[in-house]
Amino acid sequence: MTPLHPWINNALEELTTLTRQHAAESLSAGCNYRVLVLRARLDQARAAGMAVPSTESLLKATEQIASAAESDAPEDMLSRLDEQLSDDDDPFGELLDALLGIDDAVTVAEARGRILEAQELARLAEAAVSLAPARTVELGRFAERRLMTMPDTASIRSLWDTVRQAPGELASEVLPPVRPSMASLRQRRLLERLQALHTGPGPQEEEVSDSVMVRRLQDAAAASPPVGSKESFEGLAVDLFEDEHGQWNLQIALPEGHQPGDHIELRWEAKEQSSTWRVQVIERSRRTVLARLGSLEALRERLRAEGLIDPMARLRLFVSLPHEISK
């Protein structure tokens, strides 16, 4: 029997978990909507030719849940997307959350037969994204993996196609100029970042694979800590916590006499797969730096897309903070 794609396997497990929770007690409105999203995504994957087992009994059990699910208003989702496109935070944080929220709404509307509504929301989101390729350039690989899980007819394809093409649109600015000329601001910033990576002592690294956050990422049914709680680790003194807006944050205590760079690196490993993410530092003081990772669902979606969530393999996370000696 051909093994299921890791994303398919995890989507089925999450849907099963939510269905069992509904049988025991009523789910929240957000969980009801998540059930509908998972159902629609599995239908998309099946239409794209991916191996998806028969889920008739599971889908029947979710009918009552899905019938009461509703998404945010389209104008609110588009407003949030515009806000994040004009920001400069890590694109894998709230910007990816905004894109996935629109993806969910378009996919669900299409599954319910509201084709024109789905196409209109996708069109408006695509238009907004096309005006800010620099903000989505780092999401190109994620877009490619998301496109693999949907058929050619999916309304949301246009949005992810635009994200996928962003690196090509910016390539001319990143590559050296054809004739001598003054370097663009983007080129100068890239040069500065490359130089910064090669100055000062090497980065400090700490494994935080046993944190509650990592266990929750791999297991949708894992216990959830109270909002705002922290998971501390020795060495780098890494704190992982969820704020009141449902965003995961990472805070690192700085070694004495050192100043940080402008990013934190996360290296994820599972079996022989690995992926390194650069997360922008959003706040810093003399003693600590803070980065926002995004919501639990956005992180889990990205890990699934990169094939890093596998029920048969332990998910490991290493946090690395490049720094240099203070002068």
Side-chain angles (χ1 to χ4, degrees):
M1 180 178 176
T2 304
L4 293 179
H5 186 282
W7 181 86
I8 299 295
N9 192 68
N10 281 278
L12 288 169
E13 288 187 353
E14 185 178 355
L15 190 56
T16 300
T17 298
L18 289 169
T19 303
R20 288 173 179 169
Q21 289 177 357
H22 175 72
E25 57 180 334
S26 296
L27 293 175
S28 66
C31 287
N32 284 338
Y33 183 62
R34 182 62 182 168
V35 167
L36 194 54
V37 169
L38 288 168
R39 286 183 51 174
R41 291 275 189 92
L42 287 170
D43 287 341
Q44 275 189 339
R46 187 181 289 108
M50 300 181 73
V52 180
S54 175
T55 56
E56 289 184 11
S57 59
L58 182 60
L59 296 183
K60 185 176 181 180
T62 62
E63 285 295 339
Q64 184 179 359
I65 302 173
S67 64
E70 291 294 339
S71 66
D72 294 336
E75 55 269 24
D76 292 338
M77 289 186 283
L78 291 168
S79 176
R80 183 187 176 200
L81 177 62
D82 284 337
E83 180 182 345
Q84 293 306 316
L85 287 171
S86 62
D87 207 336
D88 59 0
D89 285 349
D90 176 34
F92 283 101
E94 293 187 48
L95 174 57
L96 181 57
D97 277 349
L99 289 168
L100 287 171
I102 288 173
D103 185 328
D104 291 346
V106 171
T107 301
V108 167
E110 197 167 51
R112 288 178 156 180
R114 302 202 295 255
I115 307 300
L116 293 179
E117 176 185 323
Q119 291 175 342
E120 178 66 5
L121 178 55
R123 183 186 66 80
L124 292 173
E126 177 196 356
V129 167
S130 69
L131 298 175
R135 280 291 286 144
T136 61
V137 66
E138 294 180 41
L139 300 177
R141 187 179 177 191
F142 180 92
E144 289 177 356
R145 293 178 181 273
R146 174 68 182 108
L147 286 164
M148 291 171 60
T149 66
M150 66 180 75
D152 293 340
T153 55
S155 298
I156 197 62
R157 283 196 73 92
S158 59
L159 174 61
W160 291 115
D161 269 329
T162 300
V163 174
R164 179 179 59 83
Q165 293 165 9
E169 294 180 20
L170 292 177
S172 59
E173 294 187 47
V174 175
L175 294 174
V178 176
R179 59 179 61 88
S181 63
M182 183 178 294
S184 69
L185 176 60
R186 187 182 307 282
Q187 287 173 314
R188 292 200 301 272
R189 286 177 176 173
L190 286 173
L191 180 59
E192 289 171 359
R193 296 178 79 173
L194 286 172
Q195 290 173 336
L197 289 175
H198 296 285
T199 60
Q204 288 185 299
E205 184 176 80
E206 183 77 8
E207 180 174 4
V208 296
S209 305
D210 291 329
S211 73
V212 170
M213 179 185 122
V214 176
R215 294 199 298 273
R216 287 178 65 196
L217 285 171
Q218 188 163 22
D219 181 5
S224 174
V227 172
S229 66
K230 294 188 178 184
E231 283 292 312
S232 300
F233 300 88
E234 296 179 357
L236 281 179
V238 177
D239 289 325
L240 295 168
F241 62 97
E242 186 177 17
D243 63 25
E244 66 273 16
H245 304 295
Q247 296 293 308
W248 281 99
N249 295 269
L250 184 147
Q251 181 174 285
I252 302 178
L254 298 174
E256 189 68 30
H258 290 73
Q259 61 184 17
D262 62 355
H263 70 278
I264 295 169
E265 292 186 356
L266 307 180
R267 189 174 82 255
W268 303 90
E269 295 182 357
K271 280 189 177 179
E272 299 179 357
Q273 298 256 53
S274 67
S275 179
T276 300
W277 303 353
R278 289 166 63 97
V279 183
Q280 201 73 17
V281 170
I282 60 172
E283 291 182 16
R284 70 185 71 205
S285 68
R286 293 182 59 187
R287 297 295 180 87
T288 64
V289 293
L290 178 71
R292 182 163 296 123
L293 307 185
S295 70
L296 178 67
E297 239 358 281
L299 289 170
R300 191 179 285 150
E301 288 276 1
R302 186 178 177 188
L303 289 167
R304 283 177 183 144
E306 297 189 7
L308 285 163
I309 292 187
D310 185 335
M312 303 303 293
R314 181 190 181 206
L315 180 65
R316 303 178 68 186
L317 170 60
F318 299 83
V319 177
S320 179
L321 176 66
H323 62 265
E324 56 186 29
I325 297 174
S326 301
K327 298 178 180 179

